[in-house]
Amino acid sequence: MKSILNKISSFFFIVFFHFANAQVGINTNNPSRMLDVEGTMKVHNLNDAHANADYDQSIVTDSNGNIDFTKKSSLLPSGNSNNTDKESFSQIYNTTDGNGDGNKILKCGKFQFSLTSTSDSKIRFRLNDNPNTQVGIYMNMEQNWDSNGYQFFQGKSYFGTPDEKFLFDSTNYTVWQNLAEAQLADFEQNVLNFQYPGDSDFYRLIIYRIKQSVGSTPDSRDFAVVCEKF
Protein backbone atom coordinates (compact mmCIF):
# COMPACT_ATOMS: atom_id res chain seq x y z
CA MET A 1 0.00 0.00 0.00
CA LYS A 2 2.84 2.33 0.90
CA SER A 3 4.48 1.60 -2.43
CA ILE A 4 1.29 2.52 -4.33
CA LEU A 5 0.95 5.81 -2.41
CA ASN A 6 4.54 6.68 -3.19
CA LYS A 7 3.95 6.03 -6.89
CA ILE A 8 0.79 8.19 -6.89
CA SER A 9 2.63 11.00 -5.05
CA SER A 10 5.49 10.83 -7.52
CA PHE A 11 3.05 10.98 -10.44
CA PHE A 12 1.30 14.11 -9.14
CA PHE A 13 4.65 15.74 -8.36
CA ILE A 14 5.82 15.15 -11.94
CA VAL A 15 2.55 16.51 -13.37
CA PHE A 16 2.64 19.57 -11.09
CA PHE A 17 6.31 20.21 -11.87
CA HIS A 18 5.59 19.98 -15.59
CA PHE A 19 2.75 22.48 -15.54
CA ALA A 20 4.57 24.79 -13.11
CA ASN A 21 7.42 25.08 -15.60
CA ALA A 22 5.49 24.81 -18.86
CA GLN A 23 4.67 27.56 -21.31
CA VAL A 24 0.97 28.39 -21.30
CA GLY A 25 -0.85 29.50 -24.42
CA ILE A 26 -4.22 31.23 -24.72
CA ASN A 27 -5.73 30.80 -28.21
CA THR A 28 -2.45 29.25 -29.34
CA ASN A 29 -1.18 25.68 -29.20
CA ASN A 30 2.46 26.73 -29.60
CA PRO A 31 3.33 29.24 -26.87
CA SER A 32 6.77 30.81 -27.23
CA ARG A 33 6.90 32.38 -23.76
CA MET A 34 5.78 31.41 -20.27
CA LEU A 35 2.44 33.09 -21.10
CA ASP A 36 1.56 33.52 -24.76
CA VAL A 37 -1.73 35.25 -25.63
CA GLU A 38 -3.04 35.26 -29.18
CA GLY A 39 -5.53 38.13 -29.17
CA THR A 40 -6.18 41.42 -27.43
CA MET A 41 -5.81 42.15 -23.74
CA LYS A 42 -7.71 44.46 -21.40
CA VAL A 43 -6.76 45.55 -17.88
CA HIS A 44 -9.15 47.38 -15.56
CA ASN A 45 -8.55 49.76 -12.64
CA LEU A 46 -5.02 50.86 -13.53
CA ASN A 47 -3.34 53.26 -11.11
CA ASP A 48 -1.81 56.56 -12.25
CA ALA A 49 1.80 56.26 -11.06
CA HIS A 50 3.46 58.95 -13.18
CA ALA A 51 4.53 60.89 -10.07
CA ASN A 52 5.78 57.83 -8.21
CA ALA A 53 9.57 57.64 -8.43
CA ASP A 54 9.44 53.88 -7.82
CA TYR A 55 7.73 53.42 -11.20
CA ASP A 56 10.79 54.09 -13.33
CA GLN A 57 10.04 51.60 -16.11
CA SER A 58 7.74 51.63 -19.16
CA ILE A 59 6.26 48.63 -20.97
CA VAL A 60 7.46 48.13 -24.55
CA THR A 61 6.67 45.53 -27.21
CA ASP A 62 8.42 44.24 -30.31
CA SER A 63 6.91 43.35 -33.69
CA ASN A 64 6.16 39.84 -32.43
CA GLY A 65 4.13 41.07 -29.47
CA ASN A 66 6.75 40.20 -26.84
CA ILE A 67 6.28 42.43 -23.81
CA ASP A 68 9.25 43.72 -21.84
CA PHE A 69 10.27 46.96 -20.17
CA THR A 70 12.65 49.85 -20.68
CA LYS A 71 13.84 52.47 -18.22
CA LYS A 72 11.84 55.70 -18.48
CA SER A 73 15.11 57.62 -18.34
CA SER A 74 16.09 56.12 -21.71
CA LEU A 75 13.11 57.87 -23.33
CA LEU A 76 14.23 61.32 -22.18
CA PRO A 77 16.68 63.63 -23.97
CA SER A 78 20.21 62.75 -22.99
CA GLY A 79 20.98 65.99 -21.17
CA ASN A 80 24.45 65.92 -22.69
CA SER A 81 25.26 69.41 -23.94
CA ASN A 82 27.28 67.87 -26.77
CA ASN A 83 24.19 66.17 -28.17
CA THR A 84 21.42 67.80 -30.17
CA ASP A 85 18.14 67.50 -28.26
CA LYS A 86 15.08 69.42 -29.36
CA GLU A 87 11.41 69.33 -28.44
CA SER A 88 8.71 70.96 -30.52
CA PHE A 89 5.18 71.89 -29.43
CA SER A 90 2.55 73.32 -31.75
CA GLN A 91 -1.03 74.51 -31.87
CA ILE A 92 -2.96 75.27 -35.06
CA TYR A 93 -6.55 76.46 -35.16
CA ASN A 94 -9.02 78.50 -37.20
CA THR A 95 -11.36 81.29 -36.15
CA THR A 96 -14.20 82.72 -38.20
CA ASP A 97 -14.03 86.21 -36.67
CA GLY A 98 -10.33 86.71 -37.41
CA ASN A 99 -9.45 87.03 -33.73
CA GLY A 100 -7.13 84.84 -31.74
CA ASP A 101 -8.58 82.40 -29.21
CA GLY A 102 -7.50 83.26 -25.68
CA ASN A 103 -8.71 79.89 -24.40
CA LYS A 104 -6.16 78.00 -26.48
CA ILE A 105 -2.93 77.69 -24.52
CA LEU A 106 0.34 76.22 -25.75
CA LYS A 107 2.60 74.81 -23.03
CA CYS A 108 6.30 74.70 -23.84
CA GLY A 109 8.91 73.91 -21.21
CA LYS A 110 8.53 76.41 -18.37
CA PHE A 111 6.22 78.71 -20.31
CA GLN A 112 2.66 79.01 -21.57
CA PHE A 113 1.64 81.05 -24.61
CA SER A 114 -1.64 82.26 -26.03
CA LEU A 115 -3.15 85.00 -28.21
CA THR A 116 -5.66 87.56 -27.04
CA SER A 117 -9.23 87.22 -28.32
CA THR A 118 -8.99 90.56 -30.14
CA SER A 119 -8.51 91.63 -33.76
CA ASP A 120 -4.81 92.39 -33.22
CA SER A 121 -4.31 88.97 -31.58
CA LYS A 122 -1.52 90.07 -29.27
CA ILE A 123 1.00 87.52 -28.06
CA ARG A 124 1.12 86.92 -24.33
CA PHE A 125 2.84 84.48 -21.99
CA ARG A 126 3.13 83.35 -18.39
CA LEU A 127 4.97 80.68 -16.36
CA ASN A 128 3.97 77.06 -15.84
CA ASP A 129 5.20 76.83 -12.26
CA ASN A 130 5.67 79.06 -9.25
CA PRO A 131 9.25 80.41 -9.36
CA ASN A 132 9.15 81.01 -5.58
CA THR A 133 11.26 84.11 -6.15
CA GLN A 134 11.30 86.96 -8.63
CA VAL A 135 12.63 86.10 -12.10
CA GLY A 136 13.18 88.40 -15.05
CA ILE A 137 12.62 87.12 -18.59
CA TYR A 138 14.45 88.86 -21.45
CA MET A 139 13.21 88.48 -25.02
CA ASN A 140 13.96 89.64 -28.50
CA MET A 141 11.48 89.57 -31.32
CA GLU A 142 11.54 89.71 -35.10
CA GLN A 143 8.41 90.66 -37.02
CA ASN A 144 7.88 90.04 -40.73
CA TRP A 145 4.79 90.99 -42.72
CA ASP A 146 3.67 91.55 -46.32
CA SER A 147 5.01 94.48 -48.38
CA ASN A 148 8.49 93.57 -47.07
CA GLY A 149 7.69 94.84 -43.62
CA TYR A 150 10.29 94.06 -40.97
CA GLN A 151 11.18 95.18 -37.46
CA PHE A 152 13.27 93.85 -34.62
CA PHE A 153 13.14 94.79 -30.98
CA GLN A 154 14.47 93.67 -27.63
CA GLY A 155 12.86 94.05 -24.26
CA LYS A 156 9.17 94.48 -23.60
CA SER A 157 8.30 96.75 -26.53
CA TYR A 158 9.59 98.23 -29.77
CA PHE A 159 10.35 101.55 -28.08
CA GLY A 160 11.82 99.93 -24.98
CA THR A 161 15.43 99.20 -24.12
CA PRO A 162 17.19 95.82 -24.40
CA ASP A 163 17.53 95.54 -20.63
CA GLU A 164 13.75 95.69 -20.09
CA LYS A 165 12.44 92.41 -18.75
CA PHE A 166 9.18 90.73 -17.82
CA LEU A 167 9.06 90.19 -14.06
CA PHE A 168 7.33 87.15 -12.54
CA ASP A 169 7.09 86.01 -8.93
CA SER A 170 4.85 83.82 -6.77
CA THR A 171 2.04 86.40 -6.93
CA ASN A 172 1.77 86.90 -10.68
CA TYR A 173 3.29 83.87 -12.44
CA THR A 174 -0.21 82.80 -13.59
CA VAL A 175 -1.06 86.28 -14.92
CA TRP A 176 -0.68 86.83 -18.67
CA GLN A 177 1.82 89.47 -19.75
CA ASN A 178 1.44 90.95 -23.24
CA LEU A 179 4.27 91.76 -25.58
CA ALA A 180 3.29 95.34 -26.34
CA GLU A 181 4.26 95.37 -30.03
CA ALA A 182 3.50 91.73 -30.74
CA GLN A 183 0.18 91.94 -32.52
CA LEU A 184 -0.59 89.81 -35.57
CA ALA A 185 -1.71 91.06 -38.97
CA ASP A 186 -2.67 88.82 -41.87
CA PHE A 187 0.32 86.91 -43.27
CA GLU A 188 2.54 88.24 -40.48
CA GLN A 189 5.12 86.03 -38.85
CA ASN A 190 6.63 86.73 -35.44
CA VAL A 191 9.73 84.98 -34.13
CA LEU A 192 10.67 85.28 -30.45
CA ASN A 193 13.86 84.07 -28.73
CA PHE A 194 14.18 83.78 -24.97
CA GLN A 195 15.52 81.83 -22.00
CA TYR A 196 14.52 81.14 -18.41
CA PRO A 197 17.05 82.44 -15.84
CA GLY A 198 19.63 79.81 -14.88
CA ASP A 199 18.17 77.31 -17.37
CA SER A 200 20.27 75.70 -20.10
CA ASP A 201 17.29 75.43 -22.47
CA PHE A 202 16.83 77.92 -25.28
CA TYR A 203 13.35 78.68 -26.65
CA ARG A 204 12.16 79.88 -30.04
CA LEU A 205 8.51 80.77 -30.60
CA ILE A 206 7.07 81.21 -34.11
CA ILE A 207 3.54 82.60 -34.57
CA TYR A 208 1.78 83.07 -37.90
CA ARG A 209 -1.66 84.23 -39.02
CA ILE A 210 -3.03 83.67 -42.53
CA LYS A 211 -6.34 84.57 -44.17
CA GLN A 212 -8.41 81.65 -45.48
CA SER A 213 -11.35 81.66 -47.89
CA VAL A 214 -13.59 78.73 -48.84
CA GLY A 215 -16.25 79.34 -51.52
CA SER A 216 -18.52 82.24 -50.75
CA THR A 217 -18.16 82.01 -46.96
CA PRO A 218 -16.61 84.98 -45.13
CA ASP A 219 -12.86 84.91 -44.71
CA SER A 220 -11.55 83.17 -41.62
CA ARG A 221 -8.06 83.04 -40.11
CA ASP A 222 -5.64 80.22 -39.40
CA PHE A 223 -3.31 80.66 -36.46
CA ALA A 224 -0.13 78.61 -36.08
CA VAL A 225 1.81 78.75 -32.82
CA VAL A 226 5.00 76.68 -32.69
CA CYS A 227 7.45 76.55 -29.79
CA GLU A 228 10.83 74.83 -30.01
CA LYS A 229 12.89 74.02 -26.93
CA PHE A 230 16.57 73.35 -27.54
Side-chain angles (χ1 to χ4, degrees):
M1 182 70 177
K2 183 176 181 180
S3 176
I4 295 175
L5 290 176
N6 285 339
K7 289 180 179 180
I8 293 174
S9 298
S10 298
F11 171 78
F12 279 107
F13 174 79
I14 292 172
V15 172
F16 174 80
F17 181 83
H18 172 75
F19 281 101
N21 293 274
Q23 293 173 322
V24 178
I26 298 177
N27 287 336
T28 177
N29 295 322
N30 300 296
S32 60
R33 280 196 161 190
M34 189 66 69
L35 176 62
D36 192 336
V37 179
E38 179 66 34
T40 58
M41 182 173 66
K42 180 184 290 186
V43 180
H44 296 272
N45 301 321
L46 292 174
N47 295 319
D48 181 0
H50 78 278
N52 189 332
D54 293 333
Y55 285 75
D56 61 348
Q57 300 171 353
S58 297
I59 292 176
V60 293
T61 65
D62 65 12
S63 58
N64 295 317
N66 294 314
I67 300 176
D68 288 291
F69 76 88
T70 186
K71 290 286 187 179
K72 288 198 295 186
S73 57
S74 69
L75 305 176
L76 299 174
S78 67
N80 186 336
S81 59
N82 295 320
N83 294 340
T84 302
D85 294 320
K86 183 178 76 170
E87 294 180 280
S88 179
F89 307 87
S90 62
Q91 187 175 78
I92 301 175
Y93 60 89
N94 178 275
T95 65
T96 57
D97 60 7
N99 299 343
D101 186 343
N103 294 318
K104 294 188 180 297
I105 300 171
L106 178 67
K107 295 183 179 180
C108 181
K110 295 184 176 179
F111 299 93
Q112 297 181 13
F113 299 94
S114 103
L115 303 174
T116 59
S117 300
T118 54
S119 59
D120 53 6
S121 306
K122 288 187 176 181
I123 302 169
R124 58 186 184 174
F125 78 109
R126 63 188 182 188
L127 302 183
N128 266 331
D129 303 306
N130 188 343
N132 297 314
T133 187
Q134 188 179 81
V135 295
I137 310 297
Y138 294 92
M139 285 193 179
N140 64 55
M141 181 172 178
E142 174 186 315
Q143 291 183 302
N144 300 274
W145 60 92
D146 58 355
S147 303
N148 295 320
Y150 171 82
Q151 69 178 9
F152 175 84
F153 66 85
Q154 295 173 291
K156 297 180 68 172
S157 67
Y158 180 72
F159 299 104
T161 59
D163 59 351
E164 276 189 306
K165 54 192 174 184
F166 296 86
L167 296 176
F168 291 95
D169 56 32
S170 58
T171 66
N172 75 335
Y173 75 96
T174 61
V175 178
W176 294 111
Q177 295 199 37
N178 290 356
L179 280 73
E181 300 297 325
Q183 61 264 15
L184 286 179
D186 289 338
F187 311 108
E188 177 177 306
Q189 175 181 274
N190 291 334
V191 181
L192 295 79
N193 301 292
F194 53 99
Q195 281 185 294
Y196 188 92
D199 198 341
S200 60
D201 293 323
F202 177 79
Y203 297 84
R204 179 172 62 197
L205 183 73
I206 301 173
I207 299 179
Y208 188 69
R209 184 175 90 170
I210 187 171
K211 184 187 295 185
Q212 296 286 8
S213 180
V214 179
S216 60
T217 59
D219 293 336
S220 63
R221 302 296 188 278
D222 279 351
F223 292 87
V225 183
V226 179
C227 178
E228 299 169 290
K229 182 168 74 73
F230 300 87

